[in-house]
Amino acid sequence: MILENHLFETLKLGDTAQAIRLCTADDLYIFAAATGNHNPLHVPGLDGDGDGQAEAMVPTAFAASLVTAILGTQLPGPGIMTLSQSYDFQGRAHAGDELVTTVTVTGLENGIVTLAARVIREIDKKQILSGTVRVQAPAVSYRVDSSTLPGLTVRRHRHFEALLAKAEPLPPLRTAVICPNNAASLGGALLARRHTIITPILVGDAGKIHAVAAELGTDLTGIEIIDCPQHAEAAARAVALVHEGRADAVMKGNLHTDDMLRAMVDREKGLRIGRRLTHIFVMDVPGLEHPLLVTDAAINIAPDLATKVDIVQNAIDLAISIGIAQPRVGVLSATETVNPAIPSSIDAALLSKMAERGQITGGFVDGPLAMDNAVSVAAARTKGITSEVAGRAEVLVVPGIDAGNMLAKQLSYISHAEAAGLVMGARVPVILNSRSDSSMARLASCAIAAIHHARMQEAAE
């Protein structure tokens, strides 16, 4: 966007400028962070007046800043200095409202410009602000490209919020929680219960579970607890609950992943259904328009081609469950061309061809793709790659566990993503969280499991 100003001698009475701005929840978060005004009336999701409803009301200073913006960018434009402002606020706007700001020159004297200003709500023409502002006109001509300004990304996890909203009306998922004997694992299960997403069955050392509950100040009345002091015993009992029809999901608590998976892959009593068990991170990356799935970053160390077929198919199935109708799957390698010296590039090409031939179904699969041309349309164009997936991948299939683990943790710790974890390929969803996961990550993992289970139930009927 090119910004250009108007010198005093070029202005005339009646000159007008207008701008339309959709006020979003992110705008209110940014305004609160920048000003330090955390009035709950203005913070999305909070109830500031006790009526039981979140207001997300636009601050009056934000409305006034819309006037300042149009003065500094359009009329008179860059180089002004504000001398005085006088506003009346007749109405209130909220996140989601489109606001129209208009300024009109009403006075010109000795380099001073007086302008009438008003802000209205577009949908009903309700006036939000009206008043007068005086500015010193710019002294020199100025023309600048404003696109050089840095952008802002709000660290907000809107995709997980949407998944929670989708999961909460579903019937609670009966979930066997294995060894919830520390604050994170028990607290995560109880949080999901409070959100009506799961009905937990706590399987582990009953004494330790009650002790942790006491530390958390939580009452476990009404929650079934099955006393299994040993980790292996608890994992086996949780699997048995699935076979008995008493549990529709399994959730990892405070035990090693290998101890949990050992019970699930048991040939006679496990939960395998023919596919390999594969782990999928569903990541909510701030600023990204869609959830991003990364697989496999936790179970299969160096998967061969047959295992990668299951990794891809499991990821497609889960992506469809969370609302991605035809998932775009980018199979990653170090290069976007097939190189016989790089085995992952060969596997990627074969997976792409297998999807074309219907051996992998439900989504678009393309590879090999390097990370940049998998997620950046500009990078894909630069490399001359044209496909349904290139630059727009919603699922990233990594060559091995080391690459997947590094990618997921980079997104979490550098890009501030939240990561939900689920194991697919079993008879029921397996909720798998890290000990360091936040409460939002644990809650989102339960929500995704509930949503996937509901879709599978619907498909089976």
Side-chain angles (χ1 to χ4, degrees):
M1 178 181 176
I2 302 299
L3 303 182
E4 191 168 8
N5 64 7
H6 302 270
L7 299 182
F8 183 80
E9 55 269 23
T10 68
L11 296 171
K12 59 183 184 297
L13 297 178
D15 282 348
T16 298
Q18 188 174 87
I20 301 175
R21 170 72 175 265
L22 174 65
C23 182
T24 67
D26 282 357
D27 290 328
L28 301 190
Y29 284 123
I30 291 170
F31 193 83
T35 63
N37 178 6
H38 296 173
N39 182 345
L41 283 171
H42 306 313
V43 179
L46 299 184
D47 175 16
D49 57 9
D51 65 354
Q53 300 292 323
E55 285 75 30
M57 187 184 297
V58 175
T60 54
F62 181 92
S65 74
L66 298 179
V67 176
T68 302
I70 200 170
L71 295 172
T73 59
Q74 293 188 52
L75 186 70
I80 66 158
M81 288 192 297
T82 302
L83 302 176
S84 65
Q85 300 176 78
S86 176
Y87 299 128
D88 291 320
F89 299 94
Q90 295 91 2
R92 294 291 181 263
H94 298 81
D97 285 341
E98 198 169 53
L99 302 179
V100 181
T101 305
T102 306
V103 297
T104 303
V105 176
T106 58
L108 296 167
E109 184 178 358
N110 298 327
I112 307 299
V113 185
T114 303
L115 303 101
R118 71 170 184 157
V119 177
I120 66 170
R121 194 166 53 210
E122 173 63 17
I123 190 170
D124 58 3
K125 310 305 180 185
K126 172 71 175 180
Q127 189 156 283
I128 305 300
L129 168 158
S130 63
T132 302
V133 60
R134 295 171 61 252
V135 300
Q136 176 75 54
V140 295
S141 296
Y142 190 79
R143 193 171 191 273
V144 65
D145 182 357
S146 67
S147 64
T148 58
L149 292 175
L152 293 176
T153 299
V154 177
R155 286 168 56 180
R156 175 181 166 215
H157 300 101
R158 67 188 73 195
H159 303 306
F160 280 1
E161 291 168 4
L163 289 171
L164 291 178
K166 186 175 181 179
E168 286 177 347
L170 298 173
L173 188 65
R174 298 176 301 169
T175 304
V177 186
I178 308 173
C179 300
N181 54 21
N182 68 350
S185 58
L186 181 59
L190 297 179
L191 178 63
R193 179 177 183 261
R194 289 196 294 274
H195 281 263
T196 70
I197 294 172
I198 72 170
T199 297
I201 303 171
L202 308 180
V203 186
D205 188 315
K208 292 181 179 179
I209 293 171
H210 281 292
V212 172
E215 292 175 11
L216 295 174
T218 299
D219 183 7
L220 299 181
T221 301
I223 299 176
E224 183 177 1
I225 301 174
I226 299 176
D227 187 23
C228 293
Q230 302 302 316
H231 288 184
E233 178 189 7
R237 185 71 189 106
V239 169
L241 290 173
V242 174
H243 288 294
E244 294 166 9
R246 297 182 57 201
D248 301 312
V250 174
M251 183 175 182
K252 176 180 177 287
N254 186 32
L255 77 164
H256 198 280
T257 300
D258 288 348
D259 292 333
M260 182 184 73
L261 293 178
R262 194 172 295 114
M264 295 181 184
V265 299
D266 183 276
R267 290 185 180 276
E268 296 181 0
K269 301 178 181 179
L271 298 178
R272 294 195 46 187
I273 55 173
R275 290 186 195 167
R276 289 292 297 264
L277 298 186
T278 68
H279 179 270
I280 303 165
F281 276 122
V282 180
M283 310 202 74
D284 190 337
V285 185
L288 197 61
E289 295 179 355
H290 54 78
L292 184 67
L293 282 66
V294 177
T295 185
D296 182 336
I299 293 180
N300 293 284
I301 297 173
D304 58 14
L305 180 63
T307 302
K308 287 182 180 179
V309 171
D310 288 347
I311 287 172
V312 173
Q313 191 64 67
N314 284 341
I316 289 174
D317 291 347
L318 184 61
I320 292 172
S321 291
I322 64 172
I324 304 175
Q326 281 192 293
R328 299 182 178 94
V329 181
V331 188
L332 298 182
S333 185
T335 175
E336 67 280 354
T337 57
V338 177
N339 184 338
I342 305 177
S344 62
S345 73
I346 298 173
D347 284 351
L350 291 172
L351 291 167
S352 180
K353 179 58 69 174
M354 292 171 79
E356 288 181 16
R357 298 290 173 86
Q359 293 172 269
I360 299 171
T361 61
F364 302 103
V365 181
D366 191 20
L369 293 172
M371 182 66 184
D372 57 346
N373 44 60
V375 299
S376 167
V377 172
R381 287 174 179 166
T382 299
K383 295 292 182 68
I385 306 171
T386 302
S387 79
E388 186 64 36
V389 176
R392 298 180 292 168
E394 294 150 327
V395 179
L396 298 178
V397 178
V398 298
I401 196 170
D402 48 359
N405 188 273
M406 285 185 278
L407 173 57
K409 288 183 178 176
Q410 286 165 356
L411 289 171
S412 294
Y413 288 95
I414 297 176
S415 299
H416 309 293
E418 286 280 12
L422 209 66
V423 174
M424 296 280 287
R427 187 183 300 272
V428 296
V430 179
I431 302 162
L432 185 63
N433 287 110
S434 168
R435 286 171 293 180
S436 60
D437 280 347
S438 70
S439 57
M440 172 58 85
R442 294 175 185 276
L443 190 58
S445 298
C446 294
I448 291 165
I451 292 167
H452 178 69
H453 174 75
R455 186 173 79 88
M456 292 298 96
Q457 289 292 102
E458 183 179 338
E461 293 176 354

